[in-house]
Amino acid sequence: MTSIPTRVAIVTGASKGIGAAISQRLARDGMAVVVNYSRSRSEAEAVVSAIEAGGGKAIAVQANIADPAGIAMLFDAGEQAFGGVDILVNNAGIMKLSPVAETDDASFDHQVATNLGGVFRGMREGARRLRDGGRIISFSSSVVGLYQPGYGVYAATKAAVEAMTHILAKELGARRITVNAVAPGPVETALFTDGKSAAQIEAIGKMIPLGRLGQSDDIAGVVSFLAGPDSFWVNGQIIRANGGVI
Ligand SMILES: NC(=O)c1ccc[n+]([C@@H]2O[C@H](COP(=O)([O-])OP(=O)(O)OC[C@H]3O[C@@H](n4cnc5c(N)ncnc54)[C@H](OP(=O)(O)O)[C@@H]3O)[C@@H](O)[C@H]2O)c1
């Protein structure tokens, strides 16, 4: 009997929030996972421990994806620990809200370097190093379609991710690598709740037709589908996972 090789996934920004949930879900799906973090080492190690406690395989790897060398380090680690990489989840991202007139260069540069630069280098490294039949899943946001005041730079970085997703899907099709993005609506993580009052958070939850805020596991389920065999014919798409709010 021939054994099916374990699929290997890199999840960027996996120490908390949506990335932590994705790592645990992909491990439950049978994948070995590179759990990336930039600052939150103990949280990333806790994600690895939870995966191992469930019988899965994972390693925590520090890398700043805004740093040009960061993504390559993650591929190096995945290849050394598990023999190759099949799935890249470009999840890490930051959000700094301010009207365009009040946005300073440091905020612009940080968001562009992380949300766009990190995803660009992830896509480039993935195009070069993922095994044939692999998957690239990146993160946009449903705010791309809302044009809300204060979201100018953040939404622009995510719109750029969507454009690159459509184009890279056409470039990698011949190698059976699919390229898609998930665009969540509000998900109850630090990125969403920081800086908002309890009343604001509750009001946003009530705006969602399904009656509550999104949870990280709601998004991890969508990534599991895109990373798995049943999604092969889904390519170059943006999945708006937002409870129907937009
Ligand atoms: N939550 C929402 O409502 C929502 C909605 C739409 C889209 N999204 C998108 O979903 C993704 C995940 O968001 P989240 O809500 O889970 O955010 P979160 O709870 O703030 O977690 C962000 C994660 O990214 C990591 N990270 C940040 N900068 C990094 C860098 N330079 N290099 C490596 N890792 C880095 C953080 O790790 P460290 O702590 O170790 O730095 C953390 O693990 C983001 O792309 C976000 O834009 C979120």
Side-chain angles (χ1 to χ4, degrees), residues 14 19 32 51 56 73 81 95 100 104 115 127 137 144 158 162-163 168 173 185 195 203 206 218 241:
I51 289 171
M73 287 164 55
M95 179 173 79
V100 170
D104 61 24
N115 298 356
I137 302 152
V144 164
K158 297 300 190 179
E162 293 194 8
L168 188 63
K206 284 185 177 154
D218 296 323

Side-chain angles (χ1 to χ4, degrees), residues 55-201:
K57 288 185 198 162
I59 53 171
V61 180
Q62 196 282 333
N64 176 1
I65 58 124
D67 177 341
I71 293 282
M73 287 164 55
L74 300 179
F75 274 85
D76 291 347
E79 288 167 358
Q80 279 161 24
F82 303 122
V85 180
D86 303 283
I87 290 127
L88 171 65
V89 184
N90 285 313
N91 164 78
I94 57 169
M95 179 173 79
K96 294 170 185 282
L97 302 183
S98 57
V100 170
E102 291 161 29
T103 301
D104 61 24
D105 286 346
S107 173
F108 173 84
D109 289 345
H110 192 190
Q111 290 181 88
V112 170
T114 307
N115 298 356
L116 177 54
V119 172
F120 158 66
R121 290 191 195 88
M123 287 181 167
R124 184 173 62 185
E125 206 70 12
R128 293 173 178 171
R129 294 172 73 172
L130 283 180
R131 290 189 283 223
D132 287 0
R135 302 277 194 273
I136 298 177
I137 302 152
S138 302
F139 269 72
S140 177
S141 167
S142 287
V143 300
V144 164
L146 279 177
Y147 308 114
Q148 283 173 300
Y151 285 79
V153 174
Y154 177 74
T157 63
K158 297 300 190 179
V161 167
E162 293 194 8
M164 285 200 299
T165 296
H166 294 300
I167 292 165
L168 188 63
K170 293 180 177 168
E171 295 176 353
L172 295 186
R175 291 180 48 214
R176 295 178 294 105
I177 295 174
T178 65
V179 184
N180 294 291
V182 181
V187 179
E188 202 167 3
T189 68
L191 179 142
F192 169 73
T193 57
D194 283 359
K196 294 187 180 78
S197 68
Q200 284 174 312
I201 292 167

